[in-house]
Amino acid sequence: MKAAVAVLVVLALCSLVLSKKADLKVDVEYRPEHCDIKTKNGDEIEVHYVGKLEDGKEFDNSFSRGQPIKLILGKGHVIKGWEEGLVGMCITEKRVLTIPPELGYGARGYPPVIPENAVLIFETVLVTINGKGVGLKTDNIVQ
């Protein structure tokens, strides 16, 4: 009887570990006082970003190119961490997304830029939603 209970406890713990979903961390660093429109799946958005690894090494930066990325939320155009972390944003809102490997590039990474099982940190600023924005330019967005 004790052995059966012990086996059930071990199975329950294994189930908890296996079912634990990777947690996306979203830190809102700035949100405008007035927000009439928030992002949702299906919206075409433009986002400026800086991508870094946990050690602080920068691997991509749309600010330095002077061009935000344009994508449609919910269509799989970007990694899952972005798909989830950019929903509900206001124009000019700034978020820092800390993305676990399971919601990023996973065990394969994106050689040679992103190593396998890398946690990714993205500083993001929403520029437009469905063509509506405030005409932000790279030089007036605080990085």
Side-chain angles (χ1 to χ4, degrees):
M1 180 72 159
K2 287 183 182 180
V5 170
V7 168
L8 288 175
V9 169
V10 169
L11 289 174
L13 290 173
C14 287
S15 175
L16 282 174
V17 169
L18 292 174
S19 68
K20 184 180 187 302
K21 186 177 178 182
D23 291 329
L24 169 68
K25 183 179 176 195
V26 178
D27 292 313
V28 177
E29 291 198 343
Y30 171 77
R31 179 174 285 146
E33 190 175 323
H34 301 287
C35 179
D36 297 328
I37 307 169
K38 291 184 179 183
T39 57
K40 62 187 180 314
N41 284 333
D43 285 341
E44 182 179 76
I45 63 173
E46 290 182 276
V47 180
H48 260 305
Y49 65 93
V50 177
K52 298 178 182 179
L53 301 174
E54 275 186 302
D55 65 4
K57 181 181 177 189
E58 186 176 300
F59 59 83
D60 199 4
N61 185 331
S62 70
F63 291 97
S64 65
R65 289 190 300 276
Q67 184 67 42
I69 186 173
K70 185 183 280 190
L71 61 110
I72 298 174
L73 270 179
K75 295 290 185 181
H77 295 166
V78 291
I79 58 176
K80 285 186 182 277
W82 268 46
E83 293 279 4
E84 295 176 17
L86 299 178
V87 171
M89 281 185 87
C90 303
I91 295 168
T92 72
E93 183 172 329
K94 182 176 182 180
R95 290 184 180 181
V96 176
L97 309 178
T98 303
I99 302 173
E102 298 82 4
L103 299 177
Y105 293 98
R108 72 183 185 286
Y110 193 80
V113 179
I114 298 171
E116 58 189 39
N117 295 312
V119 172
L120 307 175
I121 301 166
F122 286 94
E123 298 170 11
T124 63
V125 177
L126 183 65
V127 179
T128 67
I129 303 173
N130 297 320
K132 296 177 182 155
V134 291
L136 296 174
K137 296 187 186 317
T138 302
D139 58 354
N140 65 4
I141 300 175
V142 178
Q143 292 188 45

mmCIF file of all heavy atoms in Angstrom, residues 103-127:
data_model
loop_
_atom_site.group_PDB
_atom_site.id
_atom_site.type_symbol
_atom_site.label_atom_id
_atom_site.label_comp_id
_atom_site.label_asym_id
_atom_site.label_seq_id
_atom_site.Cartn_x
_atom_site.Cartn_y
_atom_site.Cartn_z
ATOM 1 N N LEU A 103 9.409 29.350 -25.980
ATOM 2 C CA LEU A 103 8.616 30.336 -26.715
ATOM 3 C C LEU A 103 9.478 31.162 -27.673
ATOM 4 O O LEU A 103 9.011 32.119 -28.279
ATOM 5 C CB LEU A 103 7.883 31.261 -25.736
ATOM 6 C CG LEU A 103 6.897 30.576 -24.788
ATOM 7 C CD1 LEU A 103 6.295 31.581 -23.812
ATOM 8 C CD2 LEU A 103 5.807 29.860 -25.562
ATOM 9 N N GLY A 104 10.762 30.752 -27.766
ATOM 10 C CA GLY A 104 11.698 31.418 -28.669
ATOM 11 C C GLY A 104 12.150 30.456 -29.751
ATOM 12 O O GLY A 104 11.340 29.924 -30.512
ATOM 13 N N TYR A 105 13.459 30.176 -29.771
ATOM 14 C CA TYR A 105 14.017 29.296 -30.793
ATOM 15 C C TYR A 105 14.332 27.898 -30.278
ATOM 16 O O TYR A 105 14.849 27.065 -31.019
ATOM 17 C CB TYR A 105 15.264 29.936 -31.414
ATOM 18 C CG TYR A 105 14.912 31.174 -32.196
ATOM 19 C CD1 TYR A 105 15.042 32.442 -31.639
ATOM 20 C CD2 TYR A 105 14.418 31.074 -33.489
ATOM 21 C CE1 TYR A 105 14.692 33.576 -32.351
ATOM 22 C CE2 TYR A 105 14.072 32.198 -34.212
ATOM 23 C CZ TYR A 105 14.211 33.451 -33.637
ATOM 24 O OH TYR A 105 13.868 34.568 -34.342
ATOM 25 N N GLY A 106 14.029 27.637 -29.001
ATOM 26 C CA GLY A 106 14.127 26.294 -28.445
ATOM 27 C C GLY A 106 15.512 25.677 -28.488
ATOM 28 O O GLY A 106 16.529 26.371 -28.479
ATOM 29 N N ALA A 107 15.526 24.353 -28.549
ATOM 30 C CA ALA A 107 16.771 23.586 -28.508
ATOM 31 C C ALA A 107 17.615 23.795 -29.770
ATOM 32 O O ALA A 107 18.827 23.624 -29.729
ATOM 33 C CB ALA A 107 16.466 22.104 -28.324
ATOM 34 N N ARG A 108 17.002 24.185 -30.873
ATOM 35 C CA ARG A 108 17.766 24.355 -32.114
ATOM 36 C C ARG A 108 18.489 25.705 -32.161
ATOM 37 O O ARG A 108 19.481 25.854 -32.863
ATOM 38 C CB ARG A 108 16.863 24.186 -33.328
ATOM 39 C CG ARG A 108 15.900 25.319 -33.556
ATOM 40 C CD ARG A 108 14.974 25.068 -34.746
ATOM 41 N NE ARG A 108 14.149 26.198 -35.023
ATOM 42 C CZ ARG A 108 13.094 26.596 -34.312
ATOM 43 N NH1 ARG A 108 12.752 25.914 -33.251
ATOM 44 N NH2 ARG A 108 12.392 27.664 -34.654
ATOM 45 N N GLY A 109 17.968 26.711 -31.444
ATOM 46 C CA GLY A 109 18.564 28.040 -31.523
ATOM 47 C C GLY A 109 18.386 28.628 -32.910
ATOM 48 O O GLY A 109 17.520 28.185 -33.684
ATOM 49 N N TYR A 110 19.198 29.603 -33.232
ATOM 50 C CA TYR A 110 19.207 30.216 -34.563
ATOM 51 C C TYR A 110 20.666 30.549 -34.882
ATOM 52 O O TYR A 110 21.082 31.709 -34.840
ATOM 53 C CB TYR A 110 18.329 31.468 -34.573
ATOM 54 C CG TYR A 110 18.020 31.987 -35.951
ATOM 55 C CD1 TYR A 110 17.030 31.397 -36.727
ATOM 56 C CD2 TYR A 110 18.719 33.062 -36.473
ATOM 57 C CE1 TYR A 110 16.744 31.874 -37.990
ATOM 58 C CE2 TYR A 110 18.432 33.549 -37.737
ATOM 59 C CZ TYR A 110 17.447 32.949 -38.493
ATOM 60 O OH TYR A 110 17.164 33.417 -39.748
ATOM 61 N N PRO A 111 21.451 29.466 -35.131
ATOM 62 C CA PRO A 111 22.892 29.646 -35.327
ATOM 63 C C PRO A 111 23.185 30.577 -36.498
ATOM 64 O O PRO A 111 22.438 30.573 -37.471
ATOM 65 C CB PRO A 111 23.389 28.238 -35.623
ATOM 66 C CG PRO A 111 22.317 27.320 -35.137
ATOM 67 C CD PRO A 111 21.033 28.085 -35.246
ATOM 68 N N PRO A 112 24.246 31.328 -36.437
ATOM 69 C CA PRO A 112 25.175 31.454 -35.313
ATOM 70 C C PRO A 112 24.790 32.558 -34.331
ATOM 71 O O PRO A 112 25.512 32.828 -33.385
ATOM 72 C CB PRO A 112 26.487 31.804 -36.013
ATOM 73 C CG PRO A 112 26.053 32.668 -37.173
ATOM 74 C CD PRO A 112 24.721 32.080 -37.614
ATOM 75 N N VAL A 113 23.643 33.195 -34.531
ATOM 76 C CA VAL A 113 23.267 34.367 -33.747
ATOM 77 C C VAL A 113 22.735 34.012 -32.365
ATOM 78 O O VAL A 113 23.105 34.629 -31.369
ATOM 79 C CB VAL A 113 22.216 35.207 -34.520
ATOM 80 C CG1 VAL A 113 21.789 36.421 -33.735
ATOM 81 C CG2 VAL A 113 22.746 35.605 -35.880
ATOM 82 N N ILE A 114 21.841 33.032 -32.300
ATOM 83 C CA ILE A 114 21.183 32.673 -31.043
ATOM 84 C C ILE A 114 21.518 31.222 -30.705
ATOM 85 O O ILE A 114 21.206 30.319 -31.477
ATOM 86 C CB ILE A 114 19.660 32.874 -31.146
ATOM 87 C CG1 ILE A 114 19.363 34.351 -31.417
ATOM 88 C CG2 ILE A 114 18.960 32.408 -29.873
ATOM 89 C CD1 ILE A 114 17.928 34.651 -31.757
ATOM 90 N N PRO A 115 22.163 31.014 -29.552
ATOM 91 C CA PRO A 115 22.526 29.646 -29.173
ATOM 92 C C PRO A 115 21.307 28.804 -28.798
ATOM 93 O O PRO A 115 20.221 29.332 -28.560
ATOM 94 C CB PRO A 115 23.450 29.835 -27.971
ATOM 95 C CG PRO A 115 23.189 31.201 -27.463
ATOM 96 C CD PRO A 115 22.618 32.001 -28.596
ATOM 97 N N GLU A 116 21.500 27.501 -28.739
ATOM 98 C CA GLU A 116 20.419 26.596 -28.357
ATOM 99 C C GLU A 116 19.963 26.892 -26.931
ATOM 100 O O GLU A 116 20.742 27.331 -26.084
ATOM 101 C CB GLU A 116 20.867 25.140 -28.497
ATOM 102 C CG GLU A 116 22.081 24.793 -27.663
ATOM 103 C CD GLU A 116 22.636 23.421 -27.978
ATOM 104 O OE1 GLU A 116 22.664 23.038 -29.154
ATOM 105 O OE2 GLU A 116 23.070 22.748 -27.018
ATOM 106 N N ASN A 117 18.668 26.721 -26.699
ATOM 107 C CA ASN A 117 18.042 26.913 -25.376
ATOM 108 C C ASN A 117 18.288 28.291 -24.769
ATOM 109 O O ASN A 117 18.386 28.425 -23.555
ATOM 110 C CB ASN A 117 18.485 25.811 -24.412
ATOM 111 C CG ASN A 117 17.991 24.464 -24.869
ATOM 112 O OD1 ASN A 117 16.822 24.289 -25.199
ATOM 113 N ND2 ASN A 117 18.892 23.497 -24.936
ATOM 114 N N ALA A 118 18.352 29.306 -25.607
ATOM 115 C CA ALA A 118 18.627 30.664 -25.131
ATOM 116 C C ALA A 118 17.361 31.354 -24.627
ATOM 117 O O ALA A 118 16.303 31.265 -25.250
ATOM 118 C CB ALA A 118 19.244 31.492 -26.246
ATOM 119 N N VAL A 119 17.495 32.037 -23.501
ATOM 120 C CA VAL A 119 16.465 32.963 -23.038
ATOM 121 C C VAL A 119 16.714 34.268 -23.773
ATOM 122 O O VAL A 119 17.853 34.753 -23.832
ATOM 123 C CB VAL A 119 16.548 33.170 -21.502
ATOM 124 C CG1 VAL A 119 15.605 34.285 -21.056
ATOM 125 C CG2 VAL A 119 16.242 31.876 -20.773
ATOM 126 N N LEU A 120 15.660 34.828 -24.361
ATOM 127 C CA LEU A 120 15.775 36.050 -25.154
ATOM 128 C C LEU A 120 15.124 37.212 -24.427
ATOM 129 O O LEU A 120 14.071 37.055 -23.809
ATOM 130 C CB LEU A 120 15.104 35.853 -26.511
ATOM 131 C CG LEU A 120 15.554 34.634 -27.307
ATOM 132 C CD1 LEU A 120 14.722 34.499 -28.567
ATOM 133 C CD2 LEU A 120 17.029 34.714 -27.635
ATOM 134 N N ILE A 121 15.733 38.373 -24.521
ATOM 135 C CA ILE A 121 15.185 39.583 -23.905
ATOM 136 C C ILE A 121 15.014 40.618 -25.001
ATOM 137 O O ILE A 121 15.969 40.978 -25.697
ATOM 138 C CB ILE A 121 16.105 40.108 -22.792
ATOM 139 C CG1 ILE A 121 16.264 39.022 -21.720
ATOM 140 C CG2 ILE A 121 15.555 41.404 -22.197
ATOM 141 C CD1 ILE A 121 17.377 39.246 -20.744
ATOM 142 N N PHE A 122 13.780 41.056 -25.178
ATOM 143 C CA PHE A 122 13.462 42.047 -26.200
ATOM 144 C C PHE A 122 12.883 43.297 -25.548
ATOM 145 O O PHE A 122 11.899 43.216 -24.810
ATOM 146 C CB PHE A 122 12.429 41.512 -27.197
ATOM 147 C CG PHE A 122 12.964 40.516 -28.166
ATOM 148 C CD1 PHE A 122 12.873 39.163 -27.910
ATOM 149 C CD2 PHE A 122 13.572 40.933 -29.345
ATOM 150 C CE1 PHE A 122 13.352 38.228 -28.814
ATOM 151 C CE2 PHE A 122 14.056 40.008 -30.264
ATOM 152 C CZ PHE A 122 13.952 38.653 -29.992
ATOM 153 N N GLU A 123 13.500 44.443 -25.827
ATOM 154 C CA GLU A 123 12.922 45.734 -25.475
ATOM 155 C C GLU A 123 12.107 46.153 -26.687
ATOM 156 O O GLU A 123 12.652 46.275 -27.789
ATOM 157 C CB GLU A 123 14.022 46.748 -25.183
ATOM 158 C CG GLU A 123 14.897 46.352 -24.014
ATOM 159 C CD GLU A 123 16.128 47.231 -23.884
ATOM 160 O OE1 GLU A 123 16.213 48.282 -24.562
ATOM 161 O OE2 GLU A 123 17.018 46.848 -23.110
ATOM 162 N N THR A 124 10.801 46.322 -26.519
ATOM 163 C CA THR A 124 9.917 46.601 -27.647
ATOM 164 C C THR A 124 9.169 47.913 -27.454
ATOM 165 O O THR A 124 8.832 48.280 -26.326
ATOM 166 C CB THR A 124 8.882 45.469 -27.827
ATOM 167 O OG1 THR A 124 8.040 45.402 -26.673
ATOM 168 C CG2 THR A 124 9.555 44.128 -28.040
ATOM 169 N N VAL A 125 8.911 48.600 -28.553
ATOM 170 C CA VAL A 125 8.085 49.804 -28.557
ATOM 171 C C VAL A 125 7.106 49.674 -29.723
ATOM 172 O O VAL A 125 7.522 49.488 -30.869
ATOM 173 C CB VAL A 125 8.910 51.098 -28.727
ATOM 174 C CG1 VAL A 125 7.998 52.322 -28.789
ATOM 175 C CG2 VAL A 125 9.932 51.250 -27.620
ATOM 176 N N LEU A 126 5.814 49.752 -29.423
ATOM 177 C CA LEU A 126 4.800 49.653 -30.470
ATOM 178 C C LEU A 126 4.682 50.983 -31.208
ATOM 179 O O LEU A 126 4.449 52.020 -30.597
ATOM 180 C CB LEU A 126 3.445 49.256 -29.868
ATOM 181 C CG LEU A 126 2.335 49.046 -30.888
ATOM 182 C CD1 LEU A 126 2.636 47.870 -31.802
ATOM 183 C CD2 LEU A 126 1.004 48.849 -30.188
ATOM 184 N N VAL A 127 4.833 50.936 -32.529
ATOM 185 C CA VAL A 127 4.821 52.141 -33.359
ATOM 186 C C VAL A 127 3.459 52.360 -34.014
ATOM 187 O O VAL A 127 2.925 53.465 -33.985
ATOM 188 C CB VAL A 127 5.941 52.070 -34.426
ATOM 189 C CG1 VAL A 127 5.927 53.312 -35.311
ATOM 190 C CG2 VAL A 127 7.301 51.891 -33.762
#
